[in-house]
CSV table of all heavy atoms in Angstrom, one decimal:
chain,number,residue,atom,x,y,z
A,7,MET,N,-11.2,-7.4,-2.3
A,7,MET,CA,-10.8,-6.0,-1.9
A,7,MET,C,-9.5,-5.7,-2.6
A,7,MET,O,-8.6,-6.5,-2.7
A,7,MET,CB,-10.6,-5.9,-0.4
A,7,MET,CG,-11.9,-6.3,0.4
A,7,MET,SD,-13.2,-5.1,0.2
A,7,MET,CE,-12.8,-3.9,1.5
A,8,ARG,N,-9.4,-4.5,-3.1
A,8,ARG,CA,-8.2,-4.1,-3.9
A,8,ARG,C,-7.8,-2.7,-3.6
A,8,ARG,O,-8.7,-1.8,-3.5
A,8,ARG,CB,-8.6,-4.2,-5.4
A,8,ARG,CG,-7.4,-4.0,-6.3
A,8,ARG,CD,-7.8,-4.4,-7.7
A,8,ARG,NE,-8.8,-3.4,-8.2
A,8,ARG,CZ,-8.6,-2.3,-8.8
A,8,ARG,NH1,-7.3,-1.9,-9.0
A,8,ARG,NH2,-9.5,-1.5,-9.2
A,9,ILE,N,-6.5,-2.4,-3.4
A,9,ILE,CA,-6.0,-1.1,-3.1
A,9,ILE,C,-5.9,-0.3,-4.4
A,9,ILE,O,-5.4,-0.8,-5.4
A,9,ILE,CB,-4.6,-1.2,-2.4
A,9,ILE,CG1,-4.7,-2.1,-1.2
A,9,ILE,CG2,-4.1,0.2,-2.1
A,9,ILE,CD1,-3.3,-2.5,-0.8
A,10,SER,N,-6.3,0.9,-4.4
A,10,SER,CA,-6.3,1.8,-5.6
A,10,SER,C,-5.9,3.2,-5.3
A,10,SER,O,-6.2,3.7,-4.2
A,10,SER,CB,-7.7,1.7,-6.2
A,10,SER,OG,-7.8,2.6,-7.3
A,11,VAL,N,-5.2,3.8,-6.2
A,11,VAL,CA,-4.8,5.2,-6.0
A,11,VAL,C,-5.5,6.0,-7.1
A,11,VAL,O,-5.5,5.6,-8.3
A,11,VAL,CB,-3.3,5.5,-6.1
A,11,VAL,CG1,-3.0,7.0,-6.1
A,11,VAL,CG2,-2.6,4.8,-5.0
A,12,ASP,N,-6.2,7.0,-6.8
A,12,ASP,CA,-6.9,7.9,-7.8
A,12,ASP,C,-6.0,8.9,-8.3
A,12,ASP,O,-5.6,9.9,-7.5
A,12,ASP,CB,-8.2,8.5,-7.1
A,12,ASP,CG,-8.9,9.4,-8.1
A,12,ASP,OD1,-8.4,9.6,-9.3
A,12,ASP,OD2,-10.1,9.8,-7.8
A,13,PRO,N,-5.5,8.8,-9.5
A,13,PRO,CA,-4.5,9.8,-10.0
A,13,PRO,C,-5.1,11.2,-10.2
A,13,PRO,O,-4.3,12.2,-10.3
A,13,PRO,CB,-4.2,9.2,-11.4
A,13,PRO,CG,-5.3,8.4,-11.8
A,13,PRO,CD,-5.9,7.8,-10.5
A,14,GLU,N,-6.4,11.3,-10.1
A,14,GLU,CA,-7.0,12.7,-10.2
A,14,GLU,C,-6.9,13.4,-8.9
A,14,GLU,O,-6.9,14.6,-8.9
A,14,GLU,CB,-8.5,12.5,-10.6
A,14,GLU,CG,-8.7,11.9,-12.0
A,14,GLU,CD,-8.2,12.8,-13.1
A,14,GLU,OE1,-8.3,14.0,-13.0
A,14,GLU,OE2,-7.7,12.2,-14.1
A,15,GLN,N,-6.8,12.6,-7.8
A,15,GLN,CA,-6.7,13.3,-6.5
A,15,GLN,C,-5.3,13.3,-6.0
A,15,GLN,O,-4.9,14.2,-5.2
A,15,GLN,CB,-7.5,12.5,-5.5
A,15,GLN,CG,-9.0,12.5,-5.7
A,15,GLN,CD,-9.8,11.9,-4.6
A,15,GLN,OE1,-9.7,12.3,-3.4
A,15,GLN,NE2,-10.6,11.0,-4.9
A,16,CYS,N,-4.4,12.4,-6.3
A,16,CYS,CA,-3.0,12.3,-5.9
A,16,CYS,C,-2.3,13.5,-6.4
A,16,CYS,O,-2.4,13.9,-7.5
A,16,CYS,CB,-2.4,11.0,-6.4
A,16,CYS,SG,-0.6,11.0,-6.1
A,17,TYR,N,-1.5,14.1,-5.5
A,17,TYR,CA,-0.6,15.2,-6.0
A,17,TYR,C,0.9,14.8,-5.8
A,17,TYR,O,1.8,15.7,-5.9
A,17,TYR,CB,-0.9,16.5,-5.4
A,17,TYR,CG,-0.8,16.6,-3.9
A,17,TYR,CD1,0.5,17.0,-3.3
A,17,TYR,CD2,-1.8,16.4,-3.0
A,17,TYR,CE1,0.6,17.1,-1.9
A,17,TYR,CE2,-1.7,16.5,-1.6
A,17,TYR,CZ,-0.4,16.8,-1.1
A,17,TYR,OH,-0.3,16.9,0.2
A,18,GLY,N,1.2,13.6,-5.5
A,18,GLY,CA,2.6,13.1,-5.5
A,18,GLY,C,3.4,13.5,-4.3
A,18,GLY,O,4.6,13.6,-4.4
A,19,SER,N,2.7,13.5,-3.1
A,19,SER,CA,3.5,13.8,-1.9
A,19,SER,C,4.5,12.8,-1.5
A,19,SER,O,5.5,13.0,-0.9
A,19,SER,CB,2.5,14.0,-0.7
A,19,SER,OG,2.0,12.8,-0.3
A,20,GLY,N,4.2,11.5,-1.9
A,20,GLY,CA,5.1,10.4,-1.6
A,20,GLY,C,5.0,9.8,-0.3
A,20,GLY,O,5.7,8.9,0.1
A,21,ASP,N,4.0,10.3,0.5
A,21,ASP,CA,3.8,9.7,1.9
A,21,ASP,C,3.5,8.2,1.8
A,21,ASP,O,4.0,7.5,2.7
A,21,ASP,CB,2.6,10.4,2.5
A,21,ASP,CG,2.9,11.9,2.8
A,21,ASP,OD1,3.4,12.6,1.9
A,21,ASP,OD2,2.6,12.3,4.0
A,22,CYS,N,2.7,7.8,0.9
A,22,CYS,CA,2.4,6.4,0.8
A,22,CYS,C,3.6,5.5,0.6
A,22,CYS,O,3.7,4.4,1.2
A,22,CYS,CB,1.3,6.1,-0.2
A,22,CYS,SG,1.8,6.6,-1.9
A,23,VAL,N,4.5,6.0,-0.2
A,23,VAL,CA,5.8,5.2,-0.5
A,23,VAL,C,6.6,5.1,0.8
A,23,VAL,O,7.2,4.1,1.0
A,23,VAL,CB,6.5,5.9,-1.7
A,23,VAL,CG1,7.8,5.1,-2.0
A,23,VAL,CG2,5.7,6.0,-2.9
A,24,HIS,N,6.7,6.2,1.5
A,24,HIS,CA,7.5,6.2,2.7
A,24,HIS,C,6.8,5.3,3.8
A,24,HIS,O,7.5,4.6,4.5
A,24,HIS,CB,7.6,7.6,3.3
A,24,HIS,CG,8.5,8.5,2.5
A,24,HIS,ND1,9.8,8.2,2.3
A,24,HIS,CD2,8.2,9.5,1.7
A,24,HIS,CE1,10.4,9.1,1.5
A,24,HIS,NE2,9.4,9.9,1.1
A,25,ARG,N,5.5,5.2,3.8
A,25,ARG,CA,4.8,4.4,4.9
A,25,ARG,C,4.8,3.0,4.5
A,25,ARG,O,4.9,2.1,5.4
A,25,ARG,CB,3.4,5.0,5.1
A,25,ARG,CG,3.3,6.3,5.7
A,25,ARG,CD,1.9,6.7,6.1
A,25,ARG,NE,1.9,7.8,7.0
A,25,ARG,CZ,1.5,9.1,6.6
A,25,ARG,NH1,1.1,9.3,5.4
A,25,ARG,NH2,1.6,10.1,7.5
A,26,ALA,N,4.6,2.6,3.3
A,26,ALA,CA,4.4,1.2,2.9
A,26,ALA,C,5.2,1.0,1.6
A,26,ALA,O,4.5,0.8,0.5
A,26,ALA,CB,3.0,0.9,2.8
A,27,PRO,N,6.5,1.0,1.6
A,27,PRO,CA,7.2,0.9,0.3
A,27,PRO,C,7.1,-0.5,-0.4
A,27,PRO,O,7.5,-0.6,-1.5
A,27,PRO,CB,8.7,1.2,0.7
A,27,PRO,CG,8.7,0.9,2.2
A,27,PRO,CD,7.4,1.2,2.7
A,28,SER,N,6.6,-1.5,0.3
A,28,SER,CA,6.4,-2.8,-0.3
A,28,SER,C,5.2,-2.8,-1.1
A,28,SER,O,4.9,-3.8,-1.9
A,28,SER,CB,6.4,-3.9,0.7
A,28,SER,OG,5.3,-3.8,1.5
A,29,VAL,N,4.3,-1.8,-1.0
A,29,VAL,CA,3.0,-1.8,-1.7
A,29,VAL,C,2.9,-0.6,-2.7
A,29,VAL,O,2.4,-0.7,-3.8
A,29,VAL,CB,1.9,-1.7,-0.7
A,29,VAL,CG1,0.5,-1.6,-1.4
A,29,VAL,CG2,1.9,-3.0,0.2
A,30,PHE,N,3.5,0.6,-2.3
A,30,PHE,CA,3.3,1.8,-3.1
A,30,PHE,C,4.6,2.2,-3.8
A,30,PHE,O,5.7,2.0,-3.3
A,30,PHE,CB,2.8,2.9,-2.3
A,30,PHE,CG,1.4,2.7,-1.7
A,30,PHE,CD1,1.3,2.2,-0.4
A,30,PHE,CD2,0.3,2.9,-2.4
A,30,PHE,CE1,0.0,2.0,0.2
A,30,PHE,CE2,-1.0,2.7,-1.9
A,30,PHE,CZ,-1.1,2.2,-0.6
A,31,THR,N,4.5,2.8,-4.9
A,31,THR,CA,5.6,3.4,-5.6
A,31,THR,C,5.1,4.7,-6.2
A,31,THR,O,4.0,5.1,-6.0
A,31,THR,CB,6.1,2.4,-6.7
A,31,THR,OG1,7.3,3.0,-7.3
A,31,THR,CG2,5.0,2.2,-7.8
A,32,GLN,N,6.0,5.4,-7.0
A,32,GLN,CA,5.5,6.6,-7.7
A,32,GLN,C,5.8,6.4,-9.2
A,32,GLN,O,6.9,5.9,-9.5
A,32,GLN,CB,6.2,7.8,-7.2
A,32,GLN,CG,5.6,8.3,-5.8
A,32,GLN,CD,6.2,9.6,-5.4
A,32,GLN,OE1,7.3,9.6,-4.8
A,32,GLN,NE2,5.5,10.7,-5.6
A,33,VAL,N,4.9,6.7,-10.0
A,33,VAL,CA,5.0,6.7,-11.4
A,33,VAL,C,4.7,8.0,-12.0
A,33,VAL,O,3.6,8.6,-11.7
A,33,VAL,CB,4.0,5.6,-12.0
A,33,VAL,CG1,4.1,5.6,-13.5
A,33,VAL,CG2,4.3,4.2,-11.5
A,34,ASP,N,5.7,8.6,-12.7
A,34,ASP,CA,5.5,9.9,-13.2
A,34,ASP,C,5.1,10.9,-12.2
A,34,ASP,O,4.3,11.8,-12.4
A,34,ASP,CB,4.4,10.0,-14.4
A,34,ASP,CG,4.9,9.2,-15.6
A,34,ASP,OD1,6.1,9.0,-15.8
A,34,ASP,OD2,4.0,8.6,-16.3
A,35,GLY,N,5.7,10.7,-11.0
A,35,GLY,CA,5.5,11.6,-9.9
A,35,GLY,C,4.3,11.4,-9.0
A,35,GLY,O,4.1,12.1,-8.0
A,36,LEU,N,3.4,10.5,-9.4
A,36,LEU,CA,2.2,10.2,-8.7
A,36,LEU,C,2.3,8.9,-8.0
A,36,LEU,O,3.0,8.0,-8.5
A,36,LEU,CB,1.0,10.3,-9.6
A,36,LEU,CG,0.7,11.6,-10.3
A,36,LEU,CD1,-0.5,11.4,-11.3
A,36,LEU,CD2,0.5,12.7,-9.3
A,37,GLY,N,1.6,8.8,-6.9
A,37,GLY,CA,1.5,7.5,-6.2
A,37,GLY,C,0.8,6.5,-7.0
A,37,GLY,O,-0.1,6.7,-7.8
A,38,ALA,N,1.3,5.2,-6.8
A,38,ALA,CA,0.7,4.1,-7.5
A,38,ALA,C,0.9,2.8,-6.7
A,38,ALA,O,1.9,2.8,-5.9
A,38,ALA,CB,1.3,4.0,-8.9
A,39,VAL,N,0.1,1.9,-6.9
A,39,VAL,CA,0.3,0.6,-6.3
A,39,VAL,C,1.2,-0.3,-7.1
A,39,VAL,O,1.1,-0.3,-8.4
A,39,VAL,CB,-1.1,-0.2,-6.1
A,39,VAL,CG1,-0.9,-1.5,-5.4
A,39,VAL,CG2,-2.0,0.7,-5.3
A,40,ILE,N,2.2,-0.9,-6.5
A,40,ILE,CA,3.1,-1.7,-7.2
A,40,ILE,C,2.3,-2.9,-7.9
A,40,ILE,O,1.5,-3.5,-7.2
A,40,ILE,CB,4.2,-2.3,-6.3
A,40,ILE,CG1,5.1,-1.1,-5.7
A,40,ILE,CG2,5.1,-3.3,-7.0
A,40,ILE,CD1,6.0,-1.6,-4.6
A,41,PRO,N,2.5,-3.1,-9.2
A,41,PRO,CA,1.8,-4.2,-9.8
A,41,PRO,C,1.9,-5.5,-9.1
A,41,PRO,O,3.1,-5.9,-8.7
A,41,PRO,CB,2.4,-4.3,-11.2
A,41,PRO,CG,2.9,-2.9,-11.4
A,41,PRO,CD,3.4,-2.4,-10.1
A,42,GLY,N,0.8,-6.2,-8.8
A,42,GLY,CA,0.8,-7.4,-8.1
A,42,GLY,C,0.6,-7.3,-6.6
A,42,GLY,O,0.5,-8.3,-5.9
A,43,ARG,N,0.6,-6.0,-6.1
A,43,ARG,CA,0.5,-5.8,-4.7
A,43,ARG,C,-0.9,-5.2,-4.4
A,43,ARG,O,-1.1,-4.7,-3.2
A,43,ARG,CB,1.6,-4.8,-4.2
A,43,ARG,CG,3.0,-5.4,-4.4
A,43,ARG,CD,3.3,-6.6,-3.6
A,43,ARG,NE,3.5,-6.3,-2.2
A,43,ARG,CZ,3.4,-7.2,-1.2
A,43,ARG,NH1,3.1,-8.5,-1.5
A,43,ARG,NH2,3.6,-6.9,0.0
A,44,GLU,N,-1.8,-5.2,-5.3
A,44,GLU,CA,-3.1,-4.5,-5.1
A,44,GLU,C,-3.9,-5.2,-4.0
A,44,GLU,O,-4.9,-4.6,-3.5
A,44,GLU,CB,-3.9,-4.6,-6.4
A,44,GLU,CG,-3.3,-3.8,-7.6
A,44,GLU,CD,-2.3,-4.6,-8.4
A,44,GLU,OE1,-1.9,-5.7,-8.0
A,44,GLU,OE2,-1.9,-4.2,-9.5
A,45,ARG,N,-3.6,-6.4,-3.7
A,45,ARG,CA,-4.4,-7.1,-2.6
A,45,ARG,C,-3.5,-7.3,-1.4
A,45,ARG,O,-3.9,-8.2,-0.6
A,45,ARG,CB,-4.9,-8.4,-3.2
A,45,ARG,CG,-6.0,-8.1,-4.2
A,45,ARG,CD,-6.5,-9.4,-4.9
A,45,ARG,NE,-7.5,-9.1,-5.9
A,45,ARG,CZ,-7.2,-8.7,-7.1
A,45,ARG,NH1,-6.0,-8.5,-7.5
A,45,ARG,NH2,-8.2,-8.4,-7.9
A,46,ALA,N,-2.5,-6.5,-1.2
A,46,ALA,CA,-1.6,-6.7,0.0
A,46,ALA,C,-2.2,-6.0,1.2
A,46,ALA,O,-1.6,-5.2,1.9
A,46,ALA,CB,-0.2,-6.1,-0.3
A,47,LEU,N,-3.5,-6.3,1.5
A,47,LEU,CA,-4.2,-5.7,2.6
A,47,LEU,C,-3.7,-6.1,4.0
A,47,LEU,O,-4.0,-5.5,5.0
A,47,LEU,CB,-5.7,-6.0,2.5
A,47,LEU,CG,-6.3,-5.5,1.2
A,47,LEU,CD1,-7.7,-6.0,1.1
A,47,LEU,CD2,-6.3,-4.0,1.1
A,48,ASP,N,-2.9,-7.2,4.0
A,48,ASP,CA,-2.4,-7.7,5.3
A,48,ASP,C,-1.1,-6.9,5.7
A,48,ASP,O,-0.7,-7.2,6.8
A,48,ASP,CB,-2.1,-9.2,5.2
A,48,ASP,CG,-1.2,-9.5,4.0
A,48,ASP,OD1,-1.2,-8.8,3.0
A,48,ASP,OD2,-0.4,-10.5,4.2
A,49,VAL,N,-0.6,-6.1,4.9
A,49,VAL,CA,0.6,-5.3,5.3
A,49,VAL,C,0.1,-4.3,6.3
A,49,VAL,O,-0.7,-3.4,5.9
A,49,VAL,CB,1.2,-4.7,4.1
A,49,VAL,CG1,2.4,-3.8,4.5
A,49,VAL,CG2,1.7,-5.7,3.1
A,50,PRO,N,0.6,-4.3,7.5
A,50,PRO,CA,0.1,-3.4,8.5
A,50,PRO,C,0.2,-1.9,8.2
A,50,PRO,O,-0.7,-1.1,8.5
A,50,PRO,CB,1.0,-3.7,9.7
A,50,PRO,CG,1.5,-5.1,9.5
A,50,PRO,CD,1.6,-5.2,8.0
A,51,ARG,N,1.2,-1.5,7.4
A,51,ARG,CA,1.3,-0.1,7.1
A,51,ARG,C,0.4,0.4,6.0
A,51,ARG,O,0.4,1.6,5.7
A,51,ARG,CB,2.8,0.2,6.8
A,51,ARG,CG,3.7,-0.2,8.1
A,51,ARG,CD,5.0,0.3,7.9
A,51,ARG,NE,5.1,1.7,8.2
A,51,ARG,CZ,6.2,2.4,8.2
A,51,ARG,NH1,7.4,1.8,8.1
A,51,ARG,NH2,6.2,3.7,8.4
A,52,VAL,N,-0.3,-0.5,5.3
A,52,VAL,CA,-1.2,-0.1,4.3
A,52,VAL,C,-2.3,0.7,4.9
A,52,VAL,O,-2.6,1.8,4.3
A,52,VAL,CB,-1.8,-1.3,3.5
A,52,VAL,CG1,-2.9,-0.9,2.6
A,52,VAL,CG2,-0.7,-2.0,2.7
A,53,ARG,N,-2.8,0.3,6.0
A,53,ARG,CA,-3.9,1.1,6.6
A,53,ARG,C,-3.4,2.5,7.0
A,53,ARG,O,-4.1,3.5,6.8
A,53,ARG,CB,-4.4,0.3,7.8
A,53,ARG,CG,-5.5,1.1,8.6
A,53,ARG,CD,-6.7,1.4,7.8
A,53,ARG,NE,-7.3,0.2,7.2
A,53,ARG,CZ,-8.3,0.2,6.2
A,53,ARG,NH1,-8.7,1.3,5.8
A,53,ARG,NH2,-8.7,-0.9,5.8
A,54,GLU,N,-2.2,2.5,7.5
A,54,GLU,CA,-1.6,3.8,7.9
A,54,GLU,C,-1.5,4.7,6.6
A,54,GLU,O,-1.7,5.9,6.7
A,54,GLU,CB,-0.2,3.6,8.5
A,54,GLU,CG,0.4,4.8,9.1
A,54,GLU,CD,1.8,4.4,9.7
A,54,GLU,OE1,2.0,3.3,10.1
A,54,GLU,OE2,2.7,5.3,9.6
A,55,ALA,N,-1.1,4.1,5.5
A,55,ALA,CA,-0.9,4.9,4.3
A,55,ALA,C,-2.2,5.4,3.8
A,55,ALA,O,-2.4,6.5,3.3
A,55,ALA,CB,-0.2,4.0,3.2
A,56,VAL,N,-3.3,4.5,3.8
A,56,VAL,CA,-4.6,5.0,3.4
A,56,VAL,C,-5.1,6.1,4.2
A,56,VAL,O,-5.5,7.2,3.7
A,56,VAL,CB,-5.6,3.8,3.5
A,56,VAL,CG1,-7.0,4.3,3.2
A,56,VAL,CG2,-5.2,2.7,2.5
A,57,GLU,N,-5.0,6.0,5.5
A,57,GLU,CA,-5.5,7.0,6.4
A,57,GLU,C,-4.6,8.3,6.4
A,57,GLU,O,-5.1,9.4,6.7
A,57,GLU,CB,-5.6,6.5,7.9
A,57,GLU,CG,-6.6,5.4,8.0
A,57,GLU,CD,-6.6,4.8,9.4
A,57,GLU,OE1,-5.8,5.1,10.2
A,57,GLU,OE2,-7.6,3.9,9.6
A,58,GLY,N,-3.3,8.1,6.1
A,58,GLY,CA,-2.4,9.2,6.1
A,58,GLY,C,-2.2,10.0,4.8
A,58,GLY,O,-1.5,11.0,4.7
A,59,CYS,N,-2.8,9.5,3.7
A,59,CYS,CA,-2.7,10.2,2.4
A,59,CYS,C,-3.3,11.6,2.6
A,59,CYS,O,-4.5,11.7,2.8
A,59,CYS,CB,-3.4,9.4,1.3
A,59,CYS,SG,-3.4,10.3,-0.2
A,60,PRO,N,-2.5,12.6,2.3
A,60,PRO,CA,-3.0,14.0,2.5
A,60,PRO,C,-4.1,14.4,1.5
A,60,PRO,O,-4.8,15.4,1.7
A,60,PRO,CB,-1.8,14.9,2.4
A,60,PRO,CG,-0.8,14.1,1.6
A,60,PRO,CD,-1.1,12.6,2.0
A,61,ALA,N,-4.2,13.6,0.4
A,61,ALA,CA,-5.2,13.9,-0.6
A,61,ALA,C,-6.3,13.0,-0.6
A,61,ALA,O,-7.2,13.1,-1.4
A,61,ALA,CB,-4.5,13.9,-2.0
A,62,ALA,N,-6.3,12.1,0.4
A,62,ALA,CA,-7.4,11.0,0.5
A,62,ALA,C,-7.5,10.3,-0.9
A,62,ALA,O,-8.7,10.1,-1.3
A,62,ALA,CB,-8.7,11.6,0.9
A,63,ALA,N,-6.4,10.0,-1.5
A,63,ALA,CA,-6.5,9.5,-2.9
A,63,ALA,C,-6.4,8.0,-2.9
A,63,ALA,O,-6.6,7.4,-4.0
A,63,ALA,CB,-5.3,10.0,-3.7
A,64,ILE,N,-6.1,7.3,-1.7
A,64,ILE,CA,-6.0,5.9,-1.7
A,64,ILE,C,-7.3,5.3,-1.2
A,64,ILE,O,-7.8,5.7,-0.1
A,64,ILE,CB,-4.8,5.4,-0.8
A,64,ILE,CG1,-3.5,6.2,-1.2
A,64,ILE,CG2,-4.6,3.9,-0.9
A,64,ILE,CD1,-2.4,6.0,-0.2
A,65,THR,N,-7.8,4.3,-1.9
A,65,THR,CA,-9.0,3.7,-1.4
A,65,THR,C,-8.8,2.2,-1.5
A,65,THR,O,-8.0,1.6,-2.2
A,65,THR,CB,-10.2,4.1,-2.3
A,65,THR,OG1,-9.9,3.8,-3.6
A,65,THR,CG2,-10.6,5.5,-2.1
A,66,VAL,N,-9.6,1.5,-0.7
A,66,VAL,CA,-9.7,0.0,-0.7
A,66,VAL,C,-11.1,-0.3,-1.3
A,66,VAL,O,-12.1,0.0,-0.8
A,66,VAL,CB,-9.6,-0.6,0.7
A,66,VAL,CG1,-9.7,-2.1,0.6
A,66,VAL,CG2,-8.2,-0.2,1.3
A,67,VAL,N,-11.0,-0.8,-2.5
A,67,VAL,CA,-12.2,-1.0,-3.3
A,67,VAL,C,-12.7,-2.4,-3.2
A,67,VAL,O,-11.9,-3.4,-3.4
A,67,VAL,CB,-11.9,-0.7,-4.8
A,67,VAL,CG1,-13.1,-0.8,-5.7
A,67,VAL,CG2,-11.4,0.7,-4.9
A,68,ARG,N,-14.0,-2.6,-2.9
A,68,ARG,CA,-14.6,-3.9,-2.9
A,68,ARG,C,-14.8,-4.4,-4.3
A,68,ARG,O,-15.1,-3.7,-5.2
A,68,ARG,CB,-16.0,-3.8,-2.2
A,68,ARG,CG,-16.7,-5.1,-2.1
A,68,ARG,CD,-18.1,-5.0,-1.6
A,68,ARG,NE,-18.1,-4.4,-0.3
A,68,ARG,CZ,-18.1,-5.1,0.9
A,68,ARG,NH1,-18.1,-6.4,0.8
A,68,ARG,NH2,-18.1,-4.5,2.1
A,69,GLU,N,-14.4,-5.7,-4.5
A,69,GLU,CA,-14.6,-6.3,-5.8
A,69,GLU,C,-15.7,-7.4,-5.7
A,69,GLU,O,-15.4,-8.5,-5.3
A,69,GLU,CB,-13.3,-7.0,-6.3
A,69,GLU,CG,-12.2,-6.0,-6.4
A,69,GLU,CD,-10.9,-6.7,-6.8
A,69,GLU,OE1,-10.3,-7.4,-5.9
A,69,GLU,OE2,-10.4,-6.5,-7.9
A,70,ASP,N,-16.9,-7.0,-6.1
A,70,ASP,CA,-18.0,-7.9,-6.1
A,70,ASP,C,-18.2,-8.6,-7.4
A,70,ASP,O,-17.9,-8.1,-8.4
A,70,ASP,CB,-19.3,-7.2,-5.7
A,70,ASP,CG,-19.3,-6.8,-4.2
A,70,ASP,OD1,-18.6,-7.5,-3.4
A,70,ASP,OD2,-19.9,-5.8,-3.9
B,112,SF4,S1,0.2,9.7,-0.1
B,112,SF4,FE1,-1.5,10.2,-1.4
B,112,SF4,S2,-1.1,12.1,-2.4
B,112,SF4,FE2,0.9,11.3,-1.6
B,112,SF4,S3,1.8,10.1,-3.3
B,112,SF4,FE3,0.6,8.7,-2.1
B,112,SF4,S4,-1.5,8.6,-3.1
B,112,SF4,FE4,-0.4,10.5,-3.8
């Protein structure tokens, strides 16, 4: 499982960075996962960031 931000949906509100700054950052104004933190699913606030993204741009992608 891997955390991903869809740059086509994100509009740069910054909510994810405020909720889980150890996992999310902003690049060129858009939300992004900090390199190396894509599998930080155990961080409690990641779920909050996923559910709280106003653009529904954050997904947890299954890697089969
Ligand atoms: S909370 Fe959603 S819309 Fe806001 S910066 Fe993060 S990914 Fe983008």
Side-chain angles (χ1 to χ4, degrees):
M7 303 290 274
R8 186 172 66 86
I9 307 162
S10 176
V11 174
D12 182 349
E14 298 295 324
Q15 293 190 56
C16 172
Y17 65 87
S19 71
D21 293 48
C22 57
V23 181
H24 289 294
R25 290 192 168 105
S28 68
V29 175
F30 296 97
T31 186
Q32 283 186 281
V33 178
D34 295 333
L36 297 179
V39 179
I40 296 170
R43 301 296 284 163
E44 296 88 348
R45 292 175 180 79
L47 300 172
D48 55 330
V49 177
R51 299 190 76 174
V52 167
R53 177 60 56 192
E54 188 181 329
V56 172
E57 295 175 352
C59 172
I64 307 169
T65 54
V66 177
V67 181
R68 181 187 298 270
E69 297 175 294
D70 289 332

